[in-house]
Amino acid sequence: NSGMGALYVPGSDKDVKGVKTRVKPEFFTKQQEVGKLAVKFNQEANELAKVSLTGDVVAIKAQFGKTGGACKGCHDAFRKE
């Protein structure tokens, strides 16, 4: 599915060479919660892919909102301001 998990290797919660991370350290310690959010995101993104094939703009917009909400859930919990 998204493959985003590969972006978050151990140590990516630290600033590197002047580049500040936006990942909270809790991302690496609350793996069960992260996993639930990742599953939710994948479900919504897969549904968006299906709905987009229908061409129904109203349904696509609605599902896009749900997919964005799944993104926001993780950002709210594990992204620094």
Side-chain angles (χ1 to χ4, degrees):
N1 287 230
S2 74
M4 287 186 351
L7 298 174
Y8 303 104
V9 297
S12 58
D13 61 325
K14 312 262 187 297
D15 297 345
V16 177
K17 297 182 182 179
V19 177
K20 296 198 178 288
T21 184
R22 295 181 80 181
V23 178
K24 291 180 180 178
E26 298 82 33
F27 182 86
F28 299 97
T29 59
K30 296 183 177 180
Q31 290 298 292
Q32 189 172 17
E33 187 177 341
V34 171
K36 288 178 183 177
L37 292 168
V39 166
K40 180 68 173 166
F41 170 76
N42 281 326
Q43 289 172 335
E44 298 298 354
N46 287 337
E47 187 62 23
L48 178 59
K50 289 178 194 173
V51 171
S52 69
L53 296 174
T54 69
D56 180 342
V57 175
V58 172
I60 294 168
K61 286 181 181 181
Q63 186 57 41
F64 187 83
K66 290 179 182 180
T67 305
C71 292
K72 186 176 181 330
C74 190
H75 285 215
D76 287 350
F78 298 109
R79 185 175 177 181
K80 294 178 185 176
E81 295 296 321

